[in-house]
Amino acid sequence: MIVIMKMDHTAEHRAAVVQRITELGLTAQPIYGETRTVIAVLGPVVPEMRDELATIDGVDEVLRVSKPYKLSNREVHQDDTVIEVGRGVRVGGGHPVFIAGPCAIESMEQLRASAEGVKAAGAHILRGGAFKPRSSPYSFQGLGVAGLTMLREVGDDLGMPTITELLSVRDVEAVAEHADILQIGARNMSNFVLLSEAGKTGKPVMLKRGLASTIEEWLLAADYILNEGNPNVILCERGIRTFETATRNTLDLNAVALGKRLSHLPIIADPSHGTGKWYLVRPMSMGAIAVGADGLMIEVHPSPDHALSDGAQSLTPANFAALAEQARALAAAMARPFASAPGAPVAAG
Ligand code: PEP
Ligand code: MN
């Protein structure tokens, strides 16, 4: 259920609504949009509460929310959510961004080469995995905290906000300290304790869709983060498992287009994991921008043949630059030009 406040309501009116909801044993979550303020009522609501809340001063109307996900629902928040992720970069609101960098941070040299390449091509946000969720326990597991330190140093040098994955509650503190955006990977989308703990940091969280999760399950997972009072949630479609084996996953562009309709949260597409093949990353990036993605997450390695993880889907910096140019042209033609990239110059030497 949502309580829509009148345009001219006061803070006292809002407090009275929150107090009554709390007295009823429910949770109130105010949501401040550009055009209206809504108070979401969370918990086991009964229809009679609707009439009661509607009589409080300052209340315009009280509506049922038809879907099980409440806070991520566009019915509750009609405007697009725009998230400040650091260094003036904003995600959402009609200006796509590039998130790019290596799958895994392997060394300072490798990270710097990738980062300088993507920065020169106009990337906004630097990615790099320090804690890697590998299918095999014998594969490279990432550099851990040493990798986080490298990511922060290179991000600072290049003036780029950073994103990196956290695998468990164990990693929350370290990742929140070193990175601007916390990434919850596909394998952890249903790790509800991790979602809540990541939400409690208040930092932007990018939530990848689970390998076999429905759109509804994905949005419910987003609600776990939002329910901690953290409005900074970015969704990421990274492909789902289907019967098809010719590609690593099936990038579900329906989920981008439908997700934008169902939810106010920004949606990034990840054609690297969505295809598993470097030569499909550019065409599927164009598809994602065409259907309204708020940005692209692309894996870039200075020497994909030598990558310790996901080399087959990683682009060279030159290929990323070509992709970026084409994506910018397409987005501009659709009157949704890419956001301008952070201005700090590339560090000398
Ligand atoms: C990644 O971004 O490197 C990653 C492991 O992604 P996913 O969780 O989508 O597999
Ligand atoms: Mn990867």
Side-chain angles (χ1 to χ4, degrees):
M1 201 154 71
I2 53 171
V3 180
I4 302 171
M5 302 302 294
K6 285 186 176 148
M7 295 295 274
D8 60 355
H9 79 275
T10 65
E12 287 74 35
H13 292 148
R14 219 161 44 229
V17 173
V18 169
Q19 189 186 342
R20 190 64 197 122
I21 293 170
T22 312
E23 282 165 8
L24 291 167
L26 302 165
T27 304
Q29 179 87 257
I31 299 161
Y32 304 102
E34 259 168 56
T35 48
R36 63 179 198 179
T37 295
V38 163
I39 300 175
V41 187
L42 305 169
V45 290
V46 291
E48 300 79 71
M49 291 172 185
R50 194 165 152 181
D51 295 338
E52 189 189 333
L53 292 171
T55 61
I56 301 176
D57 282 349
V59 171
D60 190 9
E61 49 176 342
V62 182
L63 299 177
R64 263 195 79 232
V65 178
S66 50
K67 302 281 189 339
Y69 48 89
K70 309 292 177 195
L71 298 174
S72 54
N73 195 326
R74 207 182 265 282
E75 285 176 43
V76 169
H77 188 290
Q78 289 172 339
D79 312 310
D80 280 358
T81 284
V82 181
I83 299 171
E84 303 271 352
V85 299
R87 301 190 190 272
V89 175
R90 293 150 65 101
V91 180
H95 296 287
V97 293
F98 293 113
I99 304 174
C103 175
I105 297 163
E106 299 168 7
S107 67
M108 201 58 178
E109 295 65 40
Q110 172 255 13
L111 176 62
R112 210 174 269 285
S114 173
E116 286 176 356
V118 302
K119 162 96 184 171
H124 303 76
I125 299 166
L126 177 63
R127 68 151 282 151
F131 299 103
K132 293 304 303 173
R134 304 307 300 279
S135 302
S136 163
Y138 312 114
S139 300
F140 177 59
Q141 303 287 312
L143 297 179
V145 175
L148 294 181
T149 310
M150 292 177 193
L151 183 66
R152 188 162 75 178
E153 189 178 326
V154 174
D156 283 349
D157 287 350
L158 300 186
M160 296 173 83
T162 57
I163 178 168
T164 195
E165 179 168 356
L166 62 174
L167 287 187
S168 79
V169 170
R170 172 201 73 185
D171 307 330
V172 172
E173 208 179 310
V175 169
E177 188 189 321
H178 288 84
D180 296 294
I181 309 172
L182 281 52
Q183 176 172 324
I184 304 230
R187 290 157 194 79
N188 264 320
M189 190 207 84
S190 306
N191 183 341
F192 304 119
V193 176
L194 181 60
L195 300 177
S196 299
E197 292 301 313
K200 282 182 193 149
T201 66
K203 296 201 89 158
V205 178
M206 189 174 84
L207 175 65
K208 288 191 147 198
R209 181 177 175 197
L211 283 73
S213 300
T214 64
I215 294 169
E216 186 168 294
E217 288 163 343
W218 187 28
L219 295 178
L220 279 165
D223 268 29
Y224 267 96
I225 304 168
L226 297 165
N227 200 26
E228 295 298 336
N230 183 346
N232 305 310
V233 179
I234 302 164
L235 299 168
C236 178
E237 160 58 38
R238 48 78 71 202
I240 50 173
R241 277 218 175 154
T242 65
F243 55 82
E244 184 57 74
T245 55
T247 49
R248 180 178 180 186
N249 290 294
T250 297
L251 186 69
D252 182 8
L253 293 183
N254 285 349
V256 177
L258 183 57
K260 294 294 299 172
R261 186 183 167 93
L262 297 176
S263 176
H264 54 91
L265 298 173
I267 306 186
I268 300 289
D270 172 357
S272 302
H273 295 88
T275 64
K277 301 202 184 297
W278 70 269
Y279 48 84
L280 295 180
V281 172
R282 193 185 339 174
M284 294 313 289
S285 293
M286 298 312 128
I289 291 298
V291 300
D294 292 293
L296 299 167
M297 176 179 251
I298 310 285
E299 289 187 337
V300 178
H301 194 286
S303 176
D305 290 351
H306 299 100
L308 297 182
S309 72
D310 288 352
Q313 66 193 37
S314 296
L315 299 188
T316 60
N319 276 336
F320 174 71
L323 178 156
E325 196 182 328
Q326 203 176 26
R328 273 192 294 265
L330 176 60
M334 295 181 68
R336 318 176 51 239
F338 270 73
S340 50
V346 174

